């Protein structure tokens, strides 16, 4: 099978799953609880405007826990589809390159991550319009700004997604894989305060959002982002995780 055919097969496998529902519900958890505390966006001492505070605080909740936790769970669900009724063993008995199969599954993960972030944009605007109606203050930000921030979150989360895919391949016990994946999330708050934050890909999205918060809130402080050595290290880690995942994919089933 060529790569496009494999990707098409992988999408068919998740067609009847509840993955998209999980991703959508997770985004509701990000934005709608903020409606209960709408007044907290006014009078921030660090100088940020209410509409920007609402947006950035939502993004902080998204990138620190909800988004990476969702990707940990979704990655395991993608991989577990193959282990039901020994489906992976049957697939590997066919003339299919296991490395291509691994990359096809990772591509599906990338698409699902993009879909969740699109859900984020949609639900943010619904919540912002509701917040505007509740407070008689315009909380709706321009589409360009929102897409820019969400797009950056997606791009810089790619090394993290590559690691989660690698983790799901090498750790055969789902509960252990989920536990390890969730454990990587917590230190992000500590790592963004380290000068070596760029060696920890799980803090990339959080660091970027905190940096943007500093740009919008004069009294908050600044988190500078230097593209070197961050980008080269991030690219090396992403490629390394994908290569390792491709090599290890299906090894247990082939024995």
């Amino acid at each position: 099978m060529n790569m496009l055919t494999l990707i098409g097969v992988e999408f068919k496998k998740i067609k009847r799953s509840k993955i998209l529902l999980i991703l959508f519900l997770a985004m509701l958890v990000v934005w709608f609880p903020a409606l209960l505390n709408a007044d907290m966006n006014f009078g921030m001492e660090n100088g940020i405007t209410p509409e920007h505070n609402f947006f950035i605080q939502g993004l902080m909740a998204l990138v620190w826990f909800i988004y990476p936790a969702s990707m940990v769970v979704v990655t395991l669900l993608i991989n577990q589809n193959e282990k039901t009724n020994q489906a992976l063993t049957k697939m590997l008995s066919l003339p299919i390159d296991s490395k291509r199969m691994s990359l096809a599954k990772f591509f599906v993960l990338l698409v699902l991550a993009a879909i969740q972030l699109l859900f984020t944009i949609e639900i943010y605007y619904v919540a912002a319009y509701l917040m505007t109606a509740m407070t008689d203050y315009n909380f709706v930000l321009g589409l360009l700004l929102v897409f820019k921030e969400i797009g950056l979150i997606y791009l810089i989360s790619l090394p993290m997604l590559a690691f989660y895919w690698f983790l799901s391949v090498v750790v055969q016990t789902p509960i252990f894989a989920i536990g390890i994946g969730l454990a990587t999330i917590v230190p992000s708050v500590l790592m963004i305060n380290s000068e070596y934050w760029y060696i920890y890909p799980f803090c990339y999205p959080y660091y970027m959002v905190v940096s943007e918060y500093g740009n919008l809130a004069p009294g908050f402080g600044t988190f500078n982002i230097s593209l070197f050595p961050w980008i080269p290290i991030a690219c090396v880690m992403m490629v390394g995780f994908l290569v390792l995942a491709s090599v290890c994919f299906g090894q247990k089933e082939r024995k």
Side-chain angles (χ1 to χ4, degrees):
M1 291 186 184
N2 60 37
M3 196 65 179
L4 290 178
T5 303
L6 281 173
I7 291 172
V9 170
E10 294 303 325
F11 277 115
K12 288 180 181 179
K13 291 177 183 177
I14 66 168
K15 187 176 181 180
R16 292 187 177 87
S17 70
K18 297 181 180 180
I19 291 178
L20 292 181
L21 178 61
I22 293 172
L23 298 180
F24 181 78
L25 292 177
M27 294 304 94
L28 291 179
V29 173
V30 171
W31 296 107
F32 277 90
L35 297 176
L36 302 176
N37 301 296
D39 292 340
M40 294 181 61
N41 294 288
F42 295 96
M44 297 294 292
E45 294 181 0
N46 55 27
I48 192 171
T49 62
E51 65 273 24
H52 285 109
N53 185 68
F54 172 64
F55 180 59
I56 297 297
Q57 290 290 349
L59 290 187
M60 284 184 177
L62 171 73
V63 298
W64 177 68
F65 186 78
I66 301 295
Y67 176 53
S70 298
M71 292 300 103
V72 170
V73 173
V74 167
T75 303
L76 266 294
L77 290 176
I78 293 173
N79 214 358
Q80 287 303 306
N81 280 339
E82 292 290 3
K83 297 181 180 180
T84 304
N85 299 320
Q86 295 185 329
L88 181 56
T89 303
K90 296 174 184 177
M91 287 289 290
L92 291 173
S93 67
L94 300 173
I96 299 175
D97 186 347
S98 61
K99 296 180 179 61
R100 286 188 179 184
M101 189 185 300
S102 176
L103 291 175
K105 288 179 176 296
F106 179 68
F107 181 82
V108 172
L109 176 64
L110 295 184
V111 173
L112 291 173
I115 289 174
Q116 184 173 43
L117 293 178
L118 289 175
F119 284 157
T120 297
I121 295 173
E122 294 173 3
I123 298 173
Y124 157 72
Y125 275 107
V126 172
Y129 278 111
L130 291 175
M131 187 83 82
T132 298
M134 290 169 55
T135 62
D136 199 29
Y137 179 91
N138 186 16
F139 276 88
V140 181
L141 294 174
L143 201 59
L144 183 60
L145 171 64
V146 173
F147 266 97
K148 185 196 81 169
E149 295 300 321
I150 297 298
L152 286 174
I153 289 172
Y154 179 73
L155 288 176
I156 64 179
S157 69
L158 296 183
M160 176 185 73
L161 297 179
F163 174 82
Y164 288 151
W165 175 244
F166 164 69
L167 181 66
S168 73
V169 170
V170 297
V171 180
Q172 298 295 320
T173 306
I175 189 66
F176 288 161
I178 291 177
I180 296 171
L182 294 179
T184 63
I185 298 172
V186 179
S188 295
V189 177
L190 300 176
M191 288 304 298
I192 65 170
N193 292 292
S194 168
E195 62 177 312
Y196 301 109
W197 61 272
Y198 47 80
I199 67 173
Y200 198 72
F202 316 101
C203 77
Y204 289 177
Y206 193 57
Y207 192 95
M208 191 275 292
V209 173
V210 171
S211 176
E212 183 63 18
Y213 193 89
N215 293 333
L216 297 170
F220 179 75
T222 58
F223 283 75
N224 296 322
I225 295 180
S226 177
L227 298 183
F228 184 86
W230 171 35
I231 297 302
I233 289 176
C235 291
V236 168
M237 285 193 291
M238 178 180 171
V239 172
F241 292 142
L242 289 179
V243 169
L244 290 173
S246 298
V247 171
C248 297
F249 185 78
Q251 278 192 353
K252 180 180 178 182
E253 288 75 12
R254 285 195 293 263
K255 290 180 180 179

